[in-house]
Amino acid sequence: MKGLTTGIVLCTLSASVSAQPEYTVVDLGSFGGDIAAVDINDAGVVVGWGVVNRFDYQMFRYDGVLTAIAPLQPQTQAQATLASVDGSVVGAGYSMTDLDRDALVSDGVNTVSPGMFTPTGSDSSGRLVGITPVTLANGFVIEHACEYSDGTLSVLPLLPGGADSAAFDTDDSGWIVGGAFPAGALKPTPALWVAQTPTNLGTLGGTGGQAHAINNARQVVGWANTAAGQPHAFRYNLSGSGAVTSRTDLGTLDGKASHARDINDAGEVVGTSGSHAFIYRSGQMIDLNSLIDPASGWVLVDAKAINNAGQIVGHGSIPGHPLRAFLLEPGVCLADTNGDGVLSPADFSAWVVAFNNAAPACDQNGDGNCTPADFSAWIANYNAGCQ
Amino acid sequence: MADLKRRNKKRHSVSLACAGVFAVALMSGASLRIAQPELGPYIVVSQNDLGMHCMQRDYRYFMILPPYNTMQAVAIRRGLEPDIVEPDPENTVEYFIPSNTTTIDKTNWWVYSQALLGVDQPADVGLTGHALFGSMQPDRGRGLWEVTGVPISPMNDAGIDNPYPLATVIYKRQGSELARTQMVVPASWELNCALCHGNPEPGVNTELDVLQDHDRLHGTTLEADAPITCAACHADPALGALGQPGVSPLSTAMHGAHADRFDVLTTPLVESCYACHPGERAQCQRDVHLLEHDMRCTDCHGEMADVGDPGRQPWVDEPRCGDCHSRPGFEFEQPGTLFRNSVGHKGVQCWVCHGSPHAITPTTSEADNLQAVRLQGAPGVLSDCTVCHIQTPSEPFFHSVEH
């Protein structure tokens, strides 16, 4: 079909259409119940948790095939929290009656527990950070940021006089971000640990917040309260000493609240606002629902992670499935008009249908309109092929 | 008890290189005991009012209950003759929940609060204006502090499900801390309507199916009116909602309408009640009655048809301790008052020693047992007199309001 040219009587001349989707939504499937994706590594391995046997949570791994990973017995519950560089599924296992959570690392076949903590972040060497419950001599159990490296679990120092803390991510240089309670405070503040020393990164003018991710460009994202008391997603840039050099309030989609979950090395931020997943790039917060095919039936609720290839994972809903895991693949193959993943003559027929109905798939040249020029653009896209 | 054992724990040894400022020890819940605690001149005891609070994750179609939790606290000055601290402006009680510091990113209740309730609630502020942290309100009449409508969810900030998050509660006088404690702020969104309603494969939403069934059976237009608040028509004391005249209370309607439909359930449940109430995971009924006597929901509440009896007053006609417990010279609850509102020994709230309804200590949940362990060294009812008395009294203890 290379060099396809044909004559065709076009039924209409021009119609305005919505923008061509920027992302293809991949439904990861389920085990018969709720399912949520929480992380994706640079190789595209997705991890998360899904409900099995109606009520039990289990970790899953998705690399084109959805695979459930059983928890260590006799635990019955496990939730993945991150995908390691080597594709291992990392998460927390627990029973419903326990205070503690056990870290789990699984290659899909074998699962081991490196210690008693909830892992939340890792670097490219496999070093983990997370949260561990620590019981003080007086019987109080506090939440404590921790680090697991070379077989040793270490708790990270609290802010001076503070009560609790949590670590959520780390970069390849060993910097760790999370939330920590300052002395006397009832809310945590975004925090940074460098060489075991905690620093209060500050907020957006209010009280309270948490840092949830850091990239290798030392950009930190999370949420912090504004002076008006609203939690807003933020991005802070850090200097080589860990000082905050700029604070950006990423805004909201709904005027009320937003939470940033992750940032890739290109500085693209994902998160949730008003129960809609967003991406923040080029200085703008964009509703990811506006970047997918509206006919897909998806409502993207929360974007949990973005990798360096721009793939995004999270959870949303589709009819009949109120909590469903999604993977957003950037760079839709425009000529694959019928969306079957294969370029074939059937795509031409699908494009004609799209043209006659002024459907988004008609717009092959990205000008926001459905015109005869899109026919030539479709041919060009087809001949260019798709990866 | 088989299902409890199925969900039981295991442990891993772990080496801990402590880099923090505390001398710490990781402690198993199974060994939740500490040496006899050294208590200061004051203690504060705090509990949730019901032992469990239900909420929904998704409010697109209807609201049964919002994110809402009630916490209570009592402060006691220890001594030969201890005193209950008077809740006045000089004395304050603060609370925060370290593992759950925001909720608006975990549920869409704030998206729909305007449509459901006519009020556009600020972020992370609950139905009664309270947040996940702050000061409890003094209630001088009852001799305690209380905060209602705390909008907590069962998902912690790391995204892990936990129906039993711990709150830290601090008693202060003139701003200086005198005592602190930890309590469970239970929450669950296990409403398993999907066991019967909806069908994922053709893409019929569970909640939508519920509304469609209601419309079909009762001639309503709920699907068109969604999102709706059930208590707008069905009276619900849990929300203080009066409902509409001629419409049965929500509890009566729900239990009555479903009582004869459970024979179609194909999913085995620990408790049939857990088809709607939390739940197979949360196990709301987790207290000493289950732990030591294998007592289930229906042992106290009766069968579903009993709960749905139109002659029963929801939230008033509840089980009484005295229905089972009796001992000469002892009293169980104040006359005409439920356990959760009763006071006993020297005017102390019953829950101070016994814990919350459905979580009367010791419970199957380690988190529930923590407060008693910290105060007396072991889980269970606070039975060590020296928790409040600096010296064990010579006179015998009577379980009554008068003593």
Side-chain angles (χ1 to χ4, degrees), chain B residues 48-355:
Chain B
N48 161 261
D49 66 335
L50 297 176
M52 180 53 68
H53 274 269
C54 316
M55 63 173 289
Q56 297 156 249
R57 192 200 305 262
D58 189 352
Y59 293 90
R60 284 178 294 173
Y61 298 99
F62 57 80
M63 182 184 83
I64 298 175
L65 289 170
Y68 191 106
N69 205 294
T70 296
M71 304 162 65
Q72 298 171 330
V74 168
I76 295 173
R77 183 192 62 78
R78 300 178 69 235
L80 288 172
E81 291 296 330
D83 296 318
I84 300 173
V85 174
E86 183 77 11
D88 58 29
E90 194 174 74
N91 296 295
T92 58
V93 172
E94 298 175 345
Y95 68 96
F96 64 98
I97 306 161
S99 62
N100 294 52
T101 62
T102 182
T103 301
I104 193 171
D105 59 330
K106 300 163 186 168
T107 168
N108 58 13
W109 184 73
W110 279 271
V111 174
Y112 295 101
S113 68
Q114 176 76 49
L116 290 165
L117 298 161
V119 179
D120 185 17
Q121 285 297 96
D124 281 335
V125 174
L127 190 60
T128 56
H130 301 298
L132 291 160
F133 68 100
S135 294
M136 294 189 188
Q137 308 299 304
D139 185 335
R140 300 186 75 157
R142 291 192 292 164
L144 52 76
W145 286 263
E146 181 178 75
V147 58
T148 61
V150 177
I152 187 156
S153 86
M155 179 180 287
N156 70 21
D157 293 342
I160 303 296
D161 183 57
N162 178 16
Y164 306 118
L166 286 170
T168 299
V169 176
I170 305 169
Y171 162 53
K172 294 181 175 178
R173 177 185 294 156
Q174 295 181 330
S176 296
E177 178 176 334
L178 294 178
R180 71 169 56 197
T181 191
Q182 288 180 298
M183 62 164 283
V184 168
V185 195
S188 173
W189 45 39
E190 280 190 82
L191 296 170
N192 295 306
C193 309
L195 290 173
C196 297
H197 287 278
N199 191 334
E201 292 320 314
V204 178
N205 272 325
T206 293
E207 290 86 353
L208 193 55
D209 188 52
V210 169
L211 297 187
Q212 290 170 342
D213 281 353
H214 194 286
D215 288 347
R216 179 173 51 82
L217 293 170
H218 303 288
T220 50
T221 56
L222 302 185
E223 181 182 0
D225 298 338
I228 57 100
T229 299
C230 301
C233 296
H234 294 279
D236 187 1
L239 289 176
L242 300 176
Q244 297 293 329
V247 179
S248 57
L250 185 62
S251 174
T252 307
M254 290 293 286
H255 292 101
H258 292 89
D260 61 354
R261 295 177 182 167
F262 271 65
D263 54 352
V264 302
L265 262 181
T266 57
T267 303
L269 300 170
V270 172
E271 295 266 6
S272 59
C273 304
Y274 289 165
C276 306
H277 296 272
E280 283 288 308
R281 292 174 59 77
Q283 297 191 27
C284 167
Q285 164 52 11
R286 59 193 185 278
D287 70 8
V288 65
H289 298 94
L290 173 71
L291 186 67
E292 297 184 0
H293 305 288
D294 200 23
M295 290 176 63
R296 307 296 173 135
C297 310
T298 52
D299 290 323
C300 294
H301 290 276
E303 298 296 331
M304 198 167 176
D306 300 327
V307 182
D309 186 334
R312 172 183 173 270
Q313 296 181 73
W315 296 83
V316 174
D317 296 333
E318 297 289 359
R320 310 278 167 162
C321 305
D323 292 345
C324 295
H325 293 272
S326 66
R327 183 172 169 180
F330 276 38
E331 293 175 319
F332 300 91
E333 299 160 326
Q334 293 173 284
T337 305
L338 294 174
F339 163 81
R340 62 186 167 90
N341 296 321
S342 288
V343 298
H345 180 57
K346 306 293 186 184
V348 175
Q349 308 285 329
C350 294
W351 54 256
V352 169
C353 298
H354 291 276

Side-chain angles (χ1 to χ4, degrees), chain B residues 348-369:
Chain B
V348 175
Q349 308 285 329
C350 294
W351 54 256
V352 169
C353 298
H354 291 276
S356 304
H358 308 111
I360 293 172
T361 58
T363 87
T364 61
S365 162
E366 292 178 352
D368 290 315
N369 294 328

Side-chain angles (χ1 to χ4, degrees), chain A residues 261-354:
Chain A
R261 309 292 198 192
D262 197 17
I263 181 170
N264 63 14
D265 287 343
E268 295 174 310
V269 183
V270 294
T272 185
S273 176
S275 288
H276 274 205
F278 73 76
I279 183 169
Y280 180 91
R281 64 188 183 196
S282 304
Q284 187 179 8
M285 181 178 285
I286 304 167
D287 188 339
L288 280 167
N289 290 282
S290 71
L291 303 180
I292 63 171
D293 183 353
S296 68
W298 276 91
V299 176
L300 309 178
V301 171
D302 197 344
K304 291 285 194 181
I306 181 169
N307 65 10
N308 287 322
Q311 295 171 298
I312 298 168
V313 295
H315 68 259
S317 67
I318 53 176
H321 299 277
L323 189 69
R324 193 79 164 182
F326 67 76
L327 162 64
L328 298 185
E329 292 279 11
V332 169
C333 180
L334 293 174
D336 181 20
T337 321
N338 63 8
D340 65 357
V342 178
L343 289 183
S344 71
D347 290 311
F348 177 69
S349 302
W351 181 82
V352 172
V353 171

Side-chain angles (χ1 to χ4, degrees), chain A residues 235-251:
Chain A
R235 186 182 65 201
Y236 296 167
N237 291 335
L238 305 181
S239 70
S241 65
V244 178
T245 57
S246 68
R247 298 173 202 275
T248 304
D249 180 340
L250 304 189

Side-chain angles (χ1 to χ4, degrees), chain A:
Chain A
M1 295 291 289
K2 286 284 185 183
L4 172 68
T5 57
T6 184
I8 186 169
V9 178
L10 302 175
C11 303
T12 55
L13 293 178
S14 177
S16 178
V17 296
S18 58
Q20 180 76 343
E22 186 174 328
Y23 293 92
T24 299
V25 191
V26 179
D27 179 352
L28 302 191
S30 79
F31 309 110
D34 290 346
I35 184 168
V38 299
D39 198 17
I40 181 169
N41 69 9
D42 284 346
V45 174
V46 182
V47 303
W49 56 268
V51 175
V52 299
N53 301 325
R54 288 283 191 184
F55 305 111
D56 291 329
Y57 287 19
Q58 277 193 10
M59 304 192 297
F60 74 77
R61 183 179 193 272
Y62 177 89
D63 55 3
V65 176
L66 183 68
T67 306
I69 296 168
L72 289 172
Q73 292 299 322
Q75 293 174 335
T76 56
Q77 312 295 322
Q79 291 178 251
T81 51
L82 61 101
S84 70
V85 170
D86 66 1
S88 295
V89 183
V90 182
Y94 55 94
S95 66
M96 296 304 295
T97 56
D98 288 0
L99 273 170
D100 47 85
R101 305 283 182 261
D102 287 314
L104 301 177
V105 179
S106 176
D107 62 6
V109 178
N110 299 305
T111 301
V112 298
S113 176
M116 193 167 64
F117 64 103
T118 299
T120 52
S122 71
D123 65 10
S124 58
S125 73
R127 187 174 56 91
L128 300 172
V129 298
I131 308 161
T132 188
V134 172
T135 304
L136 306 181
N138 61 8
F140 280 90
V141 177
I142 63 171
E143 300 265 319
H144 224 301
C146 65
E147 178 180 15
Y148 179 82
S149 181
D150 297 328
T152 300
L153 180 66
S154 310
V155 294
L156 297 170
L158 302 168
L159 286 172
D164 297 83
S165 64
F168 290 114
D169 199 15
T170 181
D171 68 5
D172 285 342
S173 70
W175 289 18
I176 298 168
V177 296
F181 284 74
L186 302 180
K187 296 202 80 174
T189 188
L192 168 73
W193 286 265
V194 177
Q196 298 276 340
T197 301
T199 302
N200 182 343
L201 293 177
T203 67
L204 295 172
T207 302
Q210 289 174 330
H212 274 266
I214 180 171
N215 66 10
N216 285 316
R218 290 182 173 163
Q219 294 176 303
V220 178
V221 298
W223 65 272
N225 279 327
T226 64
Q230 293 180 317
H232 278 202
F234 69 73
R235 186 182 65 201
Y236 296 167
N237 291 335
L238 305 181
S239 70
S241 65
V244 178
T245 57
S246 68
R247 298 173 202 275
T248 304
D249 180 340
L250 304 189
T252 68
L253 294 176
D254 65 348
K256 186 177 284 187
S258 59
H259 290 68
R261 309 292 198 192
D262 197 17
I263 181 170
N264 63 14
D265 287 343
E268 295 174 310
V269 183
V270 294
T272 185
S273 176
S275 288
H276 274 205
F278 73 76
I279 183 169
Y280 180 91
R281 64 188 183 196
S282 304
Q284 187 179 8
M285 181 178 285
I286 304 167
D287 188 339
L288 280 167
N289 290 282
S290 71
L291 303 180
I292 63 171
D293 183 353
S296 68
W298 276 91
V299 176
L300 309 178
V301 171
D302 197 344
K304 291 285 194 181
I306 181 169
N307 65 10
N308 287 322
Q311 295 171 298
I312 298 168
V313 295
H315 68 259
S317 67
I318 53 176
H321 299 277
L323 189 69
R324 193 79 164 182
F326 67 76
L327 162 64
L328 298 185
E329 292 279 11
V332 169
C333 180
L334 293 174
D336 181 20
T337 321
N338 63 8
D340 65 357
V342 178
L343 289 183
S344 71
D347 290 311
F348 177 69
S349 302
W351 181 82
V352 172
V353 171
F355 179 87
N356 287 331
N357 293 286
C362 167
D363 181 21
Q364 293 286 309
N365 59 12
D367 66 355
N369 292 308
C370 181
T371 69
D374 289 307
F375 174 59
S376 302
W378 182 85
I379 293 172
N381 290 336
Y382 183 92
N383 288 334
C386 292
Q387 290 184 339

